[in-house]
């Protein structure tokens, strides 16, 4: 994700505040559609679709990165067809119920929200995103928590990778990690990642960190950023108005 | 006494009660001096460096950086003037790119954007890694990470530089490059290392620690040529003094 955010594309160059506001507006409007408004949600899909195309981002790559989150999002409305069986339309012997429609809309809302967030992070980077949050007067502690959590996750993953590698090299015939050692590996992972996290914290505090990240934006908010913001806000508002 | 100096008087420290890692350590290091800290594993080198920047509270005796005692209230002042390079670069570097990591300290000290830019560019230049400016940290080699680690403290414009095993995991070329870079710094430096050849090439003075005690303190060439002294304390002559090629 850091690599995607570091690319020099037109979307990456847009001020983080403009991108954050557009994403928030998009997600808010998306979730505000009624649970049977499938057409409105299809129109809202134009936002992520156009950004994927215009910013030359790989959609399959996004699906691969989001493969853990998307199934969870899709499970949200899974039981709606069982609870709401009122027929909405019939195609021959097949009856489409309102429960089926609401299941699809709930899934779409989740998917669109996740894809919009993905586009924001992939084109902005976590540091710039936290800078934008501070510009919106979000408490500094929240931005710091987001940044530290991101750092901790990467440490945790790196340590997990090392432990699993060391295990697999000494248990070559074992497929995966045997359940008998899950406990001890999880304990090791926790202890080692905490040690590493502590060292990182020491390194930060030795360089003046007192609980808040400071970041100077690479570019000031310019007219092109304002146009980006205004254009998308108008389009999103129009989608909400005409397909309510 | 010169303005920039470190003074330790009768310093003792242990992680557990009644089990000292350091015992009655006393020495003074002065401006522009480059001091090597050597000793076998567990001698207390890293512990001593951590005491100097206040990472280990609860020591006995007196630790002063430029006449200021190392204690909780003075840590911000001391840390602004003292750069500490960790043994493991992965623990030192935590931002996404070299630039972001090097700019971290100046930004935290509230410097304006143009000064942050100037200091970052200078640190990159001094460590000869301007080409790595926007490179992702996780894509760097061990040698590149080490140089970025050094640049992260140079951007603080410190008076004192402390280094814990700076040559660890470096290949011969990167190691030689590191020695050249260290030799161009005029800061007061304390370098803790097992790499006695590096100490020989970069430090005029050496302190030999053994089981938490200072057993020798003097000119590097004198101490590192003393085979008997080194062997008594589980060390060996530097490879260059044995006439063997350095690795």
């Amino acid at each position: 994700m850091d690599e995607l955010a570091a690319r020099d594309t037109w979307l990456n160059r847009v001020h983080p505040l403009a991108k954050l506001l557009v994403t928030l507006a998009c997600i808010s409007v998306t979730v505000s559609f009624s649970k049977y408004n499938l057409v409105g949600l299809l129109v809202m899909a134009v936002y992520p679709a156009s950004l994927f195309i215009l910013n030359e981002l790989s959609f399959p790559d996004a699906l691969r990165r989001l493969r853990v989150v998307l199934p969870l999002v899709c499970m949200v409305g899974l039981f709606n067809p069982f609870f709401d069986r009122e027929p909405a339309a019939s195609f021959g012997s097949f009856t489409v119920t309102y429960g089926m429609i609401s299941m699809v809309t709930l899934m779409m809302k989740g998917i669109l929200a996740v894809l919009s967030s993905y586009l924001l992070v992939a084109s902005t980077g976590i540091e710039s995103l936290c800078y934008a949050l501070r510009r919106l007067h979000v408490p500094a502690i929240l931005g710091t928590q987001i940044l530290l959590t991101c750092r901790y996750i990467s440490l945790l993953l790196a340590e997990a990778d090392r432990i699993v590698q060391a295990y697999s090299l000494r248990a070559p015939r074992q497929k995966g990690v045997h359940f008998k050692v899950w406990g001890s590996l999880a304990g090791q992972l926790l202890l080692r990642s905490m040690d590493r996290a502590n060292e990182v914290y020491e390194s930060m505090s030795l360089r003046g960190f007192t609980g808040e990240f400071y970041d100077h934006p690479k570019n000031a908010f310019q007219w092109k950023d304002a146009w980006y913001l205004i254009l998308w806000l108008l389009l999103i508002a129009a989608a909400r108005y005409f397909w309510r | 006494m010169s303005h920039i100096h470190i003074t330790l008087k009768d310093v003792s420290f242990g992680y557990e009660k009644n089990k000292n890692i350091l015992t009655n350590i006393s020495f003074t290091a002065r401006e522009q001096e480059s001091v090597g800290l050597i000793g076998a594993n567990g001698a207390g080198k890293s512990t001593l460096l951590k005491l100097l920047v206040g990472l280990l509270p609860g020591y006995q005796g007196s630790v002063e950086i430029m006449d200021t005692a190392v204690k909780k209230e003075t840590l911000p002042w001391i840390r602004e003037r003292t750069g500490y390079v960790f043994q493991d670069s992965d623990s030192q570097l935590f931002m996404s790119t070299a630039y972001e990591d090097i700019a971290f300290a100046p930004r935290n000290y509230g410097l304006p954007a143009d000064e942050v830019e100037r200091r970052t560019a200078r640190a990159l230049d001094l460590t000869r890694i301007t080409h790595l400016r926007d490179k992702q940290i996780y894509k760097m080699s061990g040698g590149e990470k080490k140089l970025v680690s050094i640049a992260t403290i140079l951007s603080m414009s410190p008076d004192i530089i402390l280094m814990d095993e700076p040559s660890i995991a470096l290949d011969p070329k990167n190691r030689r490059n590191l020695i050249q870079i260290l030799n161009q710094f005029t800061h007061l430096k304390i370098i803790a290392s097992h790499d006695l050849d590096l100490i020989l090439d970069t430090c005029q003075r050496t302190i030999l620690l053994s089981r938490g005690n200072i057993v020798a303190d003097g000119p590097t060439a004198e101490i590192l040529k003393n085979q008997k002294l080194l062997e008594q304390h589980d060390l060996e002559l530097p490879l260059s003094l044995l006439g063997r090629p350095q690795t």
Side-chain angles (χ1 to χ4, degrees), chain A residues 203 207, chain B residues 89 92-107 120 133 137 148-149 151-153 155:
Chain A
S203 166
R207 285 192 270 155
Chain B
S89 300
Q92 175 119 20
L93 307 172
F94 45 82
M95 300 297 274
S96 50
T97 64
Y99 178 86
E100 291 295 327
D101 228 309
I102 297 166
F104 182 83
R107 281 176 181 163
T120 308
R133 184 191 147 103
I137 299 285
V148 174
S149 297
T152 62
I153 59 144
S155 64

PDB file of all heavy atoms in Angstrom, chain A residues 203 207, chain B residues 89 92-107 120 133 137 148-149 151-153 155:
ATOM      1  N   SER A 203      13.137   4.420  19.979  1.00  0.00           N
ATOM      2  CA  SER A 203      13.741   5.163  18.869  1.00  0.00           C
ATOM      3  C   SER A 203      12.972   6.449  18.600  1.00  0.00           C
ATOM      4  O   SER A 203      13.562   7.501  18.335  1.00  0.00           O
ATOM      5  CB  SER A 203      13.752   4.268  17.623  1.00  0.00           C
ATOM      6  OG  SER A 203      14.028   5.020  16.484  1.00  0.00           O
ATOM      7  N   ARG A 207      14.025  10.666  19.393  1.00  0.00           N
ATOM      8  CA  ARG A 207      14.022  11.704  18.354  1.00  0.00           C
ATOM      9  C   ARG A 207      12.880  12.697  18.563  1.00  0.00           C
ATOM     10  O   ARG A 207      12.305  13.216  17.621  1.00  0.00           O
ATOM     11  CB  ARG A 207      13.948  11.043  16.981  1.00  0.00           C
ATOM     12  CG  ARG A 207      15.288  10.429  16.617  1.00  0.00           C
ATOM     13  CD  ARG A 207      15.342  10.034  15.166  1.00  0.00           C
ATOM     14  NE  ARG A 207      14.889   8.687  14.964  1.00  0.00           N
ATOM     15  CZ  ARG A 207      14.395   8.242  13.820  1.00  0.00           C
ATOM     16  NH1 ARG A 207      14.248   9.059  12.800  1.00  0.00           N
ATOM     17  NH2 ARG A 207      14.029   6.993  13.696  1.00  0.00           N
TER      18      ARG A 207
ATOM     19  N   SER B  89      18.766  -1.825  12.844  1.00  0.00           N
ATOM     20  CA  SER B  89      18.171  -0.708  12.090  1.00  0.00           C
ATOM     21  C   SER B  89      16.662  -0.841  11.977  1.00  0.00           C
ATOM     22  O   SER B  89      15.950   0.167  11.886  1.00  0.00           O
ATOM     23  CB  SER B  89      18.772  -0.648  10.686  1.00  0.00           C
ATOM     24  OG  SER B  89      20.152  -0.468  10.766  1.00  0.00           O
ATOM     25  N   GLN B  92      15.160   1.030  14.573  1.00  0.00           N
ATOM     26  CA  GLN B  92      15.379   2.476  14.506  1.00  0.00           C
ATOM     27  C   GLN B  92      14.441   3.147  13.500  1.00  0.00           C
ATOM     28  O   GLN B  92      13.991   4.269  13.716  1.00  0.00           O
ATOM     29  CB  GLN B  92      16.831   2.745  14.083  1.00  0.00           C
ATOM     30  CG  GLN B  92      17.139   4.210  13.871  1.00  0.00           C
ATOM     31  CD  GLN B  92      18.219   4.705  14.801  1.00  0.00           C
ATOM     32  OE1 GLN B  92      18.982   3.915  15.336  1.00  0.00           O
ATOM     33  NE2 GLN B  92      18.281   5.994  15.006  1.00  0.00           N
ATOM     34  N   LEU B  93      14.177   2.430  12.412  1.00  0.00           N
ATOM     35  CA  LEU B  93      13.421   3.049  11.317  1.00  0.00           C
ATOM     36  C   LEU B  93      11.966   2.617  11.380  1.00  0.00           C
ATOM     37  O   LEU B  93      11.689   1.420  11.441  1.00  0.00           O
ATOM     38  CB  LEU B  93      14.040   2.654   9.980  1.00  0.00           C
ATOM     39  CG  LEU B  93      15.543   2.933   9.861  1.00  0.00           C
ATOM     40  CD1 LEU B  93      16.105   2.340   8.590  1.00  0.00           C
ATOM     41  CD2 LEU B  93      15.815   4.426   9.911  1.00  0.00           C
ATOM     42  N   PHE B  94      11.061   3.573  11.372  1.00  0.00           N
ATOM     43  CA  PHE B  94       9.653   3.195  11.522  1.00  0.00           C
ATOM     44  C   PHE B  94       8.730   3.924  10.556  1.00  0.00           C
ATOM     45  O   PHE B  94       7.548   3.650  10.507  1.00  0.00           O
ATOM     46  CB  PHE B  94       9.182   3.460  12.955  1.00  0.00           C
ATOM     47  CG  PHE B  94       9.608   4.790  13.495  1.00  0.00           C
ATOM     48  CD1 PHE B  94       8.896   5.915  13.200  1.00  0.00           C
ATOM     49  CD2 PHE B  94      10.762   4.898  14.260  1.00  0.00           C
ATOM     50  CE1 PHE B  94       9.301   7.150  13.670  1.00  0.00           C
ATOM     51  CE2 PHE B  94      11.172   6.128  14.735  1.00  0.00           C
ATOM     52  CZ  PHE B  94      10.440   7.261  14.443  1.00  0.00           C
ATOM     53  N   MET B  95       9.267   4.872   9.785  1.00  0.00           N
ATOM     54  CA  MET B  95       8.403   5.556   8.818  1.00  0.00           C
ATOM     55  C   MET B  95       8.481   4.802   7.489  1.00  0.00           C
ATOM     56  O   MET B  95       9.227   3.852   7.351  1.00  0.00           O
ATOM     57  CB  MET B  95       8.834   7.011   8.655  1.00  0.00           C
ATOM     58  CG  MET B  95       8.772   7.823   9.936  1.00  0.00           C
ATOM     59  SD  MET B  95       7.108   7.999  10.631  1.00  0.00           S
ATOM     60  CE  MET B  95       6.506   9.414   9.729  1.00  0.00           C
ATOM     61  N   SER B  96       7.694   5.270   6.505  1.00  0.00           N
ATOM     62  CA  SER B  96       7.617   4.493   5.266  1.00  0.00           C
ATOM     63  C   SER B  96       8.820   4.706   4.339  1.00  0.00           C
ATOM     64  O   SER B  96       9.300   3.760   3.729  1.00  0.00           O
ATOM     65  CB  SER B  96       6.309   4.806   4.536  1.00  0.00           C
ATOM     66  OG  SER B  96       6.152   6.196   4.436  1.00  0.00           O
ATOM     67  N   THR B  97       9.312   5.935   4.239  1.00  0.00           N
ATOM     68  CA  THR B  97      10.449   6.186   3.346  1.00  0.00           C
ATOM     69  C   THR B  97      11.625   6.783   4.132  1.00  0.00           C
ATOM     70  O   THR B  97      11.451   7.245   5.261  1.00  0.00           O
ATOM     71  CB  THR B  97      10.080   7.196   2.230  1.00  0.00           C
ATOM     72  OG1 THR B  97       9.786   8.453   2.848  1.00  0.00           O
ATOM     73  CG2 THR B  97       8.888   6.739   1.423  1.00  0.00           C
ATOM     74  N   ALA B  98      12.792   6.774   3.497  1.00  0.00           N
ATOM     75  CA  ALA B  98      13.981   7.338   4.150  1.00  0.00           C
ATOM     76  C   ALA B  98      13.745   8.805   4.500  1.00  0.00           C
ATOM     77  O   ALA B  98      14.048   9.254   5.601  1.00  0.00           O
ATOM     78  CB  ALA B  98      15.185   7.199   3.220  1.00  0.00           C
ATOM     79  N   TYR B  99      13.160   9.546   3.559  1.00  0.00           N
ATOM     80  CA  TYR B  99      12.931  10.973   3.796  1.00  0.00           C
ATOM     81  C   TYR B  99      12.058  11.183   5.031  1.00  0.00           C
ATOM     82  O   TYR B  99      12.376  12.019   5.896  1.00  0.00           O
ATOM     83  CB  TYR B  99      12.276  11.617   2.566  1.00  0.00           C
ATOM     84  CG  TYR B  99      11.980  13.082   2.786  1.00  0.00           C
ATOM     85  CD1 TYR B  99      12.942  14.054   2.541  1.00  0.00           C
ATOM     86  CD2 TYR B  99      10.742  13.481   3.281  1.00  0.00           C
ATOM     87  CE1 TYR B  99      12.681  15.386   2.782  1.00  0.00           C
ATOM     88  CE2 TYR B  99      10.475  14.817   3.530  1.00  0.00           C
ATOM     89  CZ  TYR B  99      11.445  15.765   3.270  1.00  0.00           C
ATOM     90  OH  TYR B  99      11.180  17.085   3.534  1.00  0.00           O
ATOM     91  N   GLU B 100      10.951  10.449   5.100  1.00  0.00           N
ATOM     92  CA  GLU B 100      10.021  10.622   6.224  1.00  0.00           C
ATOM     93  C   GLU B 100      10.719  10.313   7.549  1.00  0.00           C
ATOM     94  O   GLU B 100      10.488  10.984   8.550  1.00  0.00           O
ATOM     95  CB  GLU B 100       8.802   9.696   6.050  1.00  0.00           C
ATOM     96  CG  GLU B 100       7.886  10.079   4.918  1.00  0.00           C
ATOM     97  CD  GLU B 100       7.203  11.417   5.132  1.00  0.00           C
ATOM     98  OE1 GLU B 100       6.909  11.759   6.283  1.00  0.00           O
ATOM     99  OE2 GLU B 100       6.997  12.150   4.143  1.00  0.00           O
ATOM    100  N   ASP B 101      11.552   9.288   7.556  1.00  0.00           N
ATOM    101  CA  ASP B 101      12.227   8.900   8.795  1.00  0.00           C
ATOM    102  C   ASP B 101      13.265   9.946   9.202  1.00  0.00           C
ATOM    103  O   ASP B 101      13.399  10.285  10.377  1.00  0.00           O
ATOM    104  CB  ASP B 101      12.892   7.525   8.627  1.00  0.00           C
ATOM    105  CG  ASP B 101      12.568   6.623   9.800  1.00  0.00           C
ATOM    106  OD1 ASP B 101      12.762   7.065  10.939  1.00  0.00           O
ATOM    107  OD2 ASP B 101      12.097   5.504   9.592  1.00  0.00           O
ATOM    108  N   ILE B 102      14.003  10.447   8.211  1.00  0.00           N
ATOM    109  CA  ILE B 102      15.054  11.430   8.520  1.00  0.00           C
ATOM    110  C   ILE B 102      14.423  12.762   8.952  1.00  0.00           C
ATOM    111  O   ILE B 102      14.958  13.460   9.821  1.00  0.00           O
ATOM    112  CB  ILE B 102      15.990  11.608   7.301  1.00  0.00           C
ATOM    113  CG1 ILE B 102      16.697  10.280   6.999  1.00  0.00           C
ATOM    114  CG2 ILE B 102      17.028  12.691   7.548  1.00  0.00           C
ATOM    115  CD1 ILE B 102      17.382  10.225   5.656  1.00  0.00           C
ATOM    116  N   ALA B 103      13.274  13.074   8.379  1.00  0.00           N
ATOM    117  CA  ALA B 103      12.608  14.349   8.725  1.00  0.00           C
ATOM    118  C   ALA B 103      11.844  14.249  10.046  1.00  0.00           C
ATOM    119  O   ALA B 103      11.392  15.270  10.571  1.00  0.00           O
ATOM    120  CB  ALA B 103      11.649  14.742   7.603  1.00  0.00           C
ATOM    121  N   PHE B 104      11.705  13.038  10.584  1.00  0.00           N
ATOM    122  CA  PHE B 104      10.881  12.840  11.788  1.00  0.00           C
ATOM    123  C   PHE B 104      11.350  13.709  12.958  1.00  0.00           C
ATOM    124  O   PHE B 104      10.539  14.420  13.574  1.00  0.00           O
ATOM    125  CB  PHE B 104      10.917  11.359  12.182  1.00  0.00           C
ATOM    126  CG  PHE B 104      10.077  11.020  13.376  1.00  0.00           C
ATOM    127  CD1 PHE B 104       8.720  10.789  13.242  1.00  0.00           C
ATOM    128  CD2 PHE B 104      10.638  10.930  14.635  1.00  0.00           C
ATOM    129  CE1 PHE B 104       7.937  10.482  14.349  1.00  0.00           C
ATOM    130  CE2 PHE B 104       9.867  10.621  15.754  1.00  0.00           C
ATOM    131  CZ  PHE B 104       8.512  10.392  15.599  1.00  0.00           C
ATOM    132  N   ALA B 105      12.647  13.673  13.267  1.00  0.00           N
ATOM    133  CA  ALA B 105      13.138  14.425  14.437  1.00  0.00           C
ATOM    134  C   ALA B 105      13.018  15.944  14.246  1.00  0.00           C
ATOM    135  O   ALA B 105      12.461  16.625  15.110  1.00  0.00           O
ATOM    136  CB  ALA B 105      14.574  14.023  14.761  1.00  0.00           C
ATOM    137  N   PRO B 106      13.496  16.507  13.120  1.00  0.00           N
ATOM    138  CA  PRO B 106      13.352  17.959  12.959  1.00  0.00           C
ATOM    139  C   PRO B 106      11.894  18.430  13.048  1.00  0.00           C
ATOM    140  O   PRO B 106      11.608  19.480  13.591  1.00  0.00           O
ATOM    141  CB  PRO B 106      13.926  18.224  11.563  1.00  0.00           C
ATOM    142  CG  PRO B 106      14.792  17.073  11.259  1.00  0.00           C
ATOM    143  CD  PRO B 106      14.257  15.899  12.007  1.00  0.00           C
ATOM    144  N   ARG B 107      10.978  17.617  12.500  1.00  0.00           N
ATOM    145  CA  ARG B 107       9.562  17.992  12.591  1.00  0.00           C
ATOM    146  C   ARG B 107       9.094  17.982  14.039  1.00  0.00           C
ATOM    147  O   ARG B 107       8.354  18.867  14.473  1.00  0.00           O
ATOM    148  CB  ARG B 107       8.716  17.007  11.782  1.00  0.00           C
ATOM    149  CG  ARG B 107       8.750  17.273  10.302  1.00  0.00           C
ATOM    150  CD  ARG B 107       7.988  16.206   9.567  1.00  0.00           C
ATOM    151  NE  ARG B 107       8.016  16.415   8.132  1.00  0.00           N
ATOM    152  CZ  ARG B 107       7.714  15.492   7.242  1.00  0.00           C
ATOM    153  NH1 ARG B 107       7.347  14.291   7.645  1.00  0.00           N
ATOM    154  NH2 ARG B 107       7.758  15.752   5.965  1.00  0.00           N
ATOM    155  N   THR B 120      17.344  17.587   6.302  1.00  0.00           N
ATOM    156  CA  THR B 120      17.189  16.242   5.731  1.00  0.00           C
ATOM    157  C   THR B 120      18.130  16.069   4.539  1.00  0.00           C
ATOM    158  O   THR B 120      18.808  15.041   4.416  1.00  0.00           O
ATOM    159  CB  THR B 120      15.724  16.013   5.314  1.00  0.00           C
ATOM    160  OG1 THR B 120      14.895  16.322   6.425  1.00  0.00           O
ATOM    161  CG2 THR B 120      15.470  14.584   4.895  1.00  0.00           C
ATOM    162  N   ARG B 133      16.544   8.777  -1.018  1.00  0.00           N
ATOM    163  CA  ARG B 133      15.600   9.699  -0.378  1.00  0.00           C
ATOM    164  C   ARG B 133      14.158   9.181  -0.328  1.00  0.00           C
ATOM    165  O   ARG B 133      13.540   9.158   0.725  1.00  0.00           O
ATOM    166  CB  ARG B 133      15.653  11.026  -1.141  1.00  0.00           C
ATOM    167  CG  ARG B 133      14.806  12.104  -0.557  1.00  0.00           C
ATOM    168  CD  ARG B 133      14.724  13.277  -1.541  1.00  0.00           C
ATOM    169  NE  ARG B 133      13.420  13.900  -1.399  1.00  0.00           N
ATOM    170  CZ  ARG B 133      13.207  15.042  -0.755  1.00  0.00           C
ATOM    171  NH1 ARG B 133      14.194  15.685  -0.248  1.00  0.00           N
ATOM    172  NH2 ARG B 133      11.997  15.514  -0.642  1.00  0.00           N
ATOM    173  N   ILE B 137      11.528   1.968   3.088  1.00  0.00           N
ATOM    174  CA  ILE B 137      12.470   1.377   4.044  1.00  0.00           C
ATOM    175  C   ILE B 137      12.509  -0.152   3.902  1.00  0.00           C
ATOM    176  O   ILE B 137      13.588  -0.760   3.918  1.00  0.00           O
ATOM    177  CB  ILE B 137      12.075   1.746   5.493  1.00  0.00           C
ATOM    178  CG1 ILE B 137      12.108   3.261   5.706  1.00  0.00           C
ATOM    179  CG2 ILE B 137      12.942   1.011   6.513  1.00  0.00           C
ATOM    180  CD1 ILE B 137      13.455   3.895   5.834  1.00  0.00           C
ATOM    181  N   VAL B 148      20.783   5.006   6.564  1.00  0.00           N
ATOM    182  CA  VAL B 148      19.580   5.820   6.829  1.00  0.00           C
ATOM    183  C   VAL B 148      19.442   6.045   8.338  1.00  0.00           C
ATOM    184  O   VAL B 148      19.113   7.144   8.788  1.00  0.00           O
ATOM    185  CB  VAL B 148      18.303   5.147   6.252  1.00  0.00           C
ATOM    186  CG1 VAL B 148      17.052   5.928   6.661  1.00  0.00           C
ATOM    187  CG2 VAL B 148      18.379   5.064   4.743  1.00  0.00           C
ATOM    188  N   SER B 149      19.746   4.999   9.129  1.00  0.00           N
ATOM    189  CA  SER B 149      19.669   5.131  10.597  1.00  0.00           C
ATOM    190  C   SER B 149      20.592   6.248  11.075  1.00  0.00           C
ATOM    191  O   SER B 149      20.223   7.048  11.944  1.00  0.00           O
ATOM    192  CB  SER B 149      20.101   3.831  11.289  1.00  0.00           C
ATOM    193  OG  SER B 149      19.230   2.811  10.956  1.00  0.00           O
ATOM    194  N   ALA B 151      21.640   8.739   9.247  1.00  0.00           N
ATOM    195  CA  ALA B 151      21.098  10.019   8.750  1.00  0.00           C
ATOM    196  C   ALA B 151      19.954  10.518   9.635  1.00  0.00           C
ATOM    197  O   ALA B 151      19.794  11.727   9.820  1.00  0.00           O
ATOM    198  CB  ALA B 151      20.625   9.853   7.310  1.00  0.00           C
ATOM    199  N   THR B 152      19.174   9.586  10.200  1.00  0.00           N
ATOM    200  CA  THR B 152      18.029  10.011  11.039  1.00  0.00           C
ATOM    201  C   THR B 152      18.500  10.788  12.264  1.00  0.00           C
ATOM    202  O   THR B 152      17.776  11.647  12.757  1.00  0.00           O
ATOM    203  CB  THR B 152      17.178   8.818  11.524  1.00  0.00           C
ATOM    204  OG1 THR B 152      17.976   7.975  12.326  1.00  0.00           O
ATOM    205  CG2 THR B 152      16.560   8.051  10.389  1.00  0.00           C
ATOM    206  N   ILE B 153      19.702  10.474  12.750  1.00  0.00           N
ATOM    207  CA  ILE B 153      20.170  11.233  13.925  1.00  0.00           C
ATOM    208  C   ILE B 153      20.967  12.480  13.495  1.00  0.00           C
ATOM    209  O   ILE B 153      20.982  13.466  14.204  1.00  0.00           O
ATOM    210  CB  ILE B 153      20.978  10.359  14.902  1.00  0.00           C
ATOM    211  CG1 ILE B 153      22.192   9.764  14.231  1.00  0.00           C
ATOM    212  CG2 ILE B 153      20.115   9.292  15.540  1.00  0.00           C
ATOM    213  CD1 ILE B 153      23.345   9.679  15.160  1.00  0.00           C
ATOM    214  N   SER B 155      20.145  14.468  11.188  1.00  0.00           N
ATOM    215  CA  SER B 155      19.186  15.550  10.916  1.00  0.00           C
ATOM    216  C   SER B 155      18.791  16.282  12.201  1.00  0.00           C
ATOM    217  O   SER B 155      18.195  17.347  12.153  1.00  0.00           O
ATOM    218  CB  SER B 155      17.939  14.995  10.222  1.00  0.00           C
ATOM    219  OG  SER B 155      17.270  14.093  11.078  1.00  0.00           O
TER     220      SER B 155
END
